[in-house]
Amino acid sequence: MKEQVREILEAFPERCAGLILRRDQDVFDWIVPENVRRYHLAPGLFRELDVYGTEQPILLVQVGQFPLWNPDQWPGGCTLFVPFQDPTNVGAVIRSAAAFGVSQVVMLKESAHP
């Protein structure tokens, strides 16, 4: 997880808005862009956000608007419609879809943001 956060900071610094850390944690050896604000939380509060128990920094990333689905621009291959409300399930199904070569993922309005 730590490497993923570092890679996103390096590859997409303009999209990174914040870095959430435990109060006793810092990332002195990382190059963190100046626009990325650091939030140091009490260990208990950090654990509530760190649902997987990684104890690694949590990156806040700004994402753009998803384009609306247009059935007239339907690509070849399999299209997956995702209704899940649990972000954990959404992430898992998108990773699985990528692994199986799904050509398009459509997030339904009820679904959690990936």
Side-chain angles (χ1 to χ4, degrees), residues 25-63:
Q25 184 180 44
D26 212 333
V27 288
F28 296 112
D29 60 331
W30 292 18
I31 298 172
V32 180
E34 288 190 23
N35 66 302
V36 178
R37 185 167 178 192
R38 294 181 191 192
Y39 300 92
H40 289 87
L41 304 181
L45 181 55
F46 182 86
R47 271 188 234 99
E48 284 189 43
L49 295 177
D50 184 21
V51 294
Y52 295 108
T54 67
E55 295 294 322
Q56 298 301 319
I58 299 169
L59 185 61
L60 301 174
V61 179
Q62 299 172 347
V63 295

Side-chain angles (χ1 to χ4, degrees):
M1 187 68 84
K2 184 176 182 179
E3 292 307 314
Q4 293 168 330
V5 170
R6 188 181 302 201
E7 287 173 9
I8 293 169
L9 278 168
E10 291 173 3
F12 306 100
E14 72 284 354
R15 291 189 175 249
C16 299
L19 193 60
I20 302 173
L21 305 140
R22 280 191 333 266
R23 187 174 294 143
D24 60 339
Q25 184 180 44
D26 212 333
V27 288
F28 296 112
D29 60 331
W30 292 18
I31 298 172
V32 180
E34 288 190 23
N35 66 302
V36 178
R37 185 167 178 192
R38 294 181 191 192
Y39 300 92
H40 289 87
L41 304 181
L45 181 55
F46 182 86
R47 271 188 234 99
E48 284 189 43
L49 295 177
D50 184 21
V51 294
Y52 295 108
T54 67
E55 295 294 322
Q56 298 301 319
I58 299 169
L59 185 61
L60 301 174
V61 179
Q62 299 172 347
V63 295
Q65 291 289 324
F66 292 131
L68 291 177
W69 177 66
N70 182 345
D72 297 330
Q73 297 174 349
W74 199 294
C78 179
T79 298
L80 178 67
F81 293 85
V82 179
F84 305 123
Q85 296 177 349
D86 182 340
T88 305
N89 293 342
V90 171
V93 77
I94 289 174
R95 287 188 298 278
S96 296
F100 286 106
V102 169
S103 58
Q104 182 172 343
V105 174
V106 177
M107 306 300 296
L108 299 179
K109 68 180 179 179
E110 321 54 47
S111 70
H113 194 289

